[in-house]
Amino acid sequence: MRISSMRAVLAAGVVLAASIGVEARAESLTLVTFSGYYPPTLFEDFKKETGIDVNLVETSGNEETMAKMVASGGTGFDLLVVSHPFVEALNKLGMLSEIDHSKLPNLANLYEEASKLSYDPGLQFSVPWAWDTFGLCYRSDLVSKAPTSWGDVLNPSDDLKGKYTMVSDERWFLEPAQLYSGLSINDVSEEALEKIRPLLVNAKKNVLTFDSFTMHTRLISGEINMAAAWDNWCNLAIRENPNVKYVIPKEGTDTVLDVYVMPKKAENKEAAEKFLNFILKPEVQGGLITELLYKVPNRAAMEAHKDIVEKYSPLQIPASDLLKYPMLKDLGADAPRVSKFITEVMSSE
């Protein structure tokens, strides 16, 4: 009797352990995001609230994230952070799942404008995380005249030569010359590229270096007087040195969004949906404002941090203004030709 009872207990224990194991595996998700692109306690706070573990995979940028998706055939990941042109690219490859808005009631916290942007009207495939513009950060105490044009990058004055940076990201490397020449930021025709080639070659001769990640520290130290940069990087410099200013050149800019997307082959969609709804909480998405000084498309979060917004001019750009600026589109089959063109410019004497 005791033996049979013990066997029953052991059998029940095996079943329970198995069920716990299955549940534990189900209550986790794998997230791919850019290195450090999240509030410090984000994943810890999410686990406290939901019990769900986040397996974090960090990448250096969109290209590495895309490479991981293509190499895996879209398997092994539950959520990705990408910039908006890559939403189009992944969707063209049939790799994205539609977002079930009924599972994300906190979408109501977003600005209305966030659902009207051209890369994904109605947010069918993406959940906005942060948005910004591309412009010029400069040291007002080190330049003889405040920059106003992309021409200040392409044809710099003597006091800027060798004292400014441009970004290495291909599309934003092209953008100053495209806008200065009156071209669309999505015009990469052979004629357009040849028109801007001399401008970029000249800029390459005069720029100190190409820097997409540490330009703010160079501004703070005074190593450079100006940087072509996304506005949140300017905020990081302003935090340390109030002489740093930000301007959108008179020729214009683009609106940049970083977003969450869910792969079609995600294995833990329910956990992923819980995470997406979690990050849309004002106090959670607001962590990007307080910690990283990003503008976020979350109206409730921005309104809750007016004290910080008032300190940084780039944070004060209205959501309605962001609708006025164009957005980069996926280049598709033109991408290799554009990369070849940029390599030629970079290798020019």
Side-chain angles (χ1 to χ4, degrees), residues 216-217 219-221 234-244 293 312:
H216 64 298
T217 62
L219 281 166
I220 293 166
S221 70
C234 196
N235 290 332
L236 294 174
I238 292 171
R239 181 164 61 187
E240 302 298 324
N241 189 326
N243 290 312
V244 177
L293 298 179
Y312 302 93

Side-chain angles (χ1 to χ4, degrees), residues 268-279:
N268 302 296
K269 289 190 175 183
E270 184 176 344
E273 288 167 342
K274 289 179 182 178
F275 183 83
L276 292 175
N277 198 52
F278 177 79
I279 63 165

